[in-house]
Amino acid sequence: MKAREISPLALDSYQRAARVILSNHLVTQTYPDRIALPLLRRWATELREDLMTLFGYRLEVTETTARLFTVSDRLDAGTPAKTATDRTFDRYRYAYLALALAALGRAGNQITLSELADHVAADAAQVDGVDLSTERASDRDAFVDAVGWLAARGAIALADGDAGGWAANPDAGEALYDIDRSVVIALFRPPRALQHLRSIRGLLAGADSMTDDETEFGTSRTVDVKETARRVRRALVERPVVYAADLDDQELVQLALPRTAADVELLTGLVAERREEGVAMIDSSGRLSDVRFPGTGTVAQVALLLAGEIADRVLDPDTPETARMPLPRGRSEDLVEQVDSAIPQSGIFDSLAGHDGVEPEEPAPADRLFPVVEDQWITDTVRTLTDRFGRTFAAGWQADPDGLGRAALALLERLRLTAAVPGGVLALPALARYRGVVVTIRDRTPEIDLFQSSANDSEDITA
């Protein structure tokens, strides 16, 4: 591992470079900032080797881009594309993004927004269930969101005009963009041709079987152990918490080895918090986490309060013991089925697609049970919190405590602090970190009330 050869004085710089590429996957001259690419270029050789050794990730660095080609072990619905205003992309925005990227690949050095819209509209008309009409404001807004996502990453750069003016009135507004072809090429590089897939599983780890040479020379066991270790390390940097109940026997062995988490710590600068139930990599810098927790905003504040209430309930010895259930299995398979249901089964896909040779894995037997907190209790608790602290909440949430509770639970589930089950949620072990949350309301002005929490304010769980 190259990180072991780096001097202590330079190690912090190397770890910052590792965090940048692990959290962004694509780095350009302007994205995520102007200092990221020079930092990665400085450590490109060492990072290339360490990322491949530890995770099986391939790093390509050029003068204008750095692209990390990751390996996915499962689908994750918790990391969607977001607009500039933090709205989650819907299916239309994803479709416009893909079609705009294809149009940019065929364009020259510059393109106007209306011209790009015409290309996307023409291509969308050939896809069942997708269309783009510049006469509809909702379509224009969705298209501009997709264009903004590309502009934020440097694929295009505004040379003149205003996209917002075009979205408001396409007859009066216009925008001209310069196209960075190197970024356009780097953005879409799937490991396999999508036209050849019958299932999204073909893009997950293990889709390509081991070569005959490896089997012939008896290295299958060595390769399997190495890949298992990589799979566990990938989980450590990709999941907020890696629970033992989520792993099979071989993965548990790798997780138990001190070197597994230590290698990730050395590369990233994260700190491993190890418990009997699993391991969490704590990001005190906040530079690798995509979700800060505790965080600001009404949903994050209520999620923290709710986490404390749930932890108090399940850990209080005077409270009647609740029912227990294992972690739910098969959610990744459900997501695979949803994605696969959208793959066309006729035309070019049907003629080119081949059998992927990957069957869904049998779910591992659950060997741990976790306390169940009922939906009604959560609903009542959120309403109680709203009554106590509602004047500090955003106005939109004050009148919708049930919606606020669902949003808070969604955040806790994304952070692997709870897991939804029929009739309630499971309280997962990492939730205990937030037991005994202390909240005070400080009135700086009559109109402003701020939450303050004593629960690990300087720490983030990677998500």
Side-chain angles (χ1 to χ4, degrees), residues 180-262:
D180 189 326
R181 193 158 303 283
S182 64
V183 178
V184 171
I185 294 172
L187 267 172
F188 186 67
R189 295 276 296 280
R192 296 179 63 185
L194 299 187
Q195 293 94 329
H196 295 181
L197 299 179
R198 287 189 182 276
S199 170
I200 194 65
R201 294 190 187 94
L203 297 179
L204 301 180
D208 297 322
S209 60
M210 190 170 46
T211 65
D212 294 338
D213 290 341
E214 289 173 337
T215 304
E216 179 181 351
F217 288 96
T219 61
S220 60
R221 177 174 175 80
T222 302
V223 172
D224 184 59
V225 171
K226 181 186 296 185
E227 183 53 36
T228 299
R230 284 176 170 173
R231 190 161 59 245
V232 173
R233 294 191 202 101
R234 290 195 292 262
L236 287 172
V237 295
E238 293 172 359
R239 304 181 196 177
V241 186
V242 179
Y243 289 113
D246 275 336
L247 307 180
D248 60 30
D249 291 341
Q250 292 180 338
E251 292 168 341
L252 283 173
V253 171
Q254 292 297 327
L255 185 66
L257 294 176
R259 182 172 177 174
T260 302

Side-chain angles (χ1 to χ4, degrees), residues 4-53:
R4 296 192 178 91
E5 303 173 7
I6 298 174
S7 70
L9 293 177
L11 185 59
D12 179 68
S13 173
Y14 181 69
Q15 291 172 339
R16 281 191 286 114
R19 291 195 295 266
V20 165
I21 195 61
L22 283 170
S23 57
N24 294 287
H25 296 180
L26 173 69
V27 173
T28 66
Q29 293 173 305
T30 59
Y31 181 81
D33 52 52
R34 294 189 179 275
I35 65 174
L37 186 60
L39 179 64
L40 286 169
R41 284 174 57 82
R42 174 188 176 187
W43 297 108
T45 301
E46 294 84 354
L47 281 173
R48 189 178 293 112
E49 181 172 328
D50 282 352
L51 290 168
M52 175 57 70
T53 300

Side-chain angles (χ1 to χ4, degrees), residues 374-384 401-402:
E374 301 84 0
D375 285 336
Q376 187 59 53
W377 183 90
I378 292 173
T379 299
D380 294 341
T381 300
V382 172
R383 289 178 177 173
T384 299
D402 293 341

Side-chain angles (χ1 to χ4, degrees), residues 101-182:
L101 192 58
L104 291 174
R106 301 189 299 265
N109 295 325
Q110 287 188 321
I111 193 169
T112 64
L113 188 59
S114 59
E115 183 183 1
L116 181 58
D118 290 340
H119 286 304
V120 171
D123 291 340
Q126 302 179 45
V127 182
D128 292 340
V130 179
D131 63 344
L132 169 61
S133 173
T134 56
E135 301 298 320
R136 289 194 294 262
S138 59
D139 284 10
R140 296 196 302 271
D141 289 340
F143 174 68
V144 168
D145 283 339
V147 170
W149 190 95
L150 292 169
R153 284 150 183 80
I156 53 178
L158 185 65
D160 192 18
D162 176 28
W166 180 88
N169 185 353
D171 294 327
E174 184 59 282
L176 176 66
Y177 289 94
D178 295 323
I179 301 173
D180 189 326
R181 193 158 303 283
S182 64

Side-chain angles (χ1 to χ4, degrees), residues 304-370:
L304 178 62
L305 293 171
L306 186 57
E309 295 289 340
I310 295 174
D312 285 341
R313 184 188 182 194
V314 300
L315 295 175
D316 188 348
D318 297 328
T319 301
E321 186 173 355
T322 62
R324 290 179 173 265
M325 292 178 61
L327 275 174
R329 299 281 182 167
R331 294 193 176 184
S332 180
E333 286 301 315
D334 293 340
L335 190 55
V336 166
E337 292 180 1
Q338 293 179 39
V339 175
D340 285 353
S341 67
I343 296 178
Q345 297 300 320
S346 62
I348 187 171
F349 282 81
D350 188 57
S351 61
L352 294 178
H355 181 61
D356 291 319
V358 179
E359 298 297 333
E361 295 182 0
E362 291 294 327
D367 57 354
R368 295 183 183 275
L369 300 177
F370 302 97

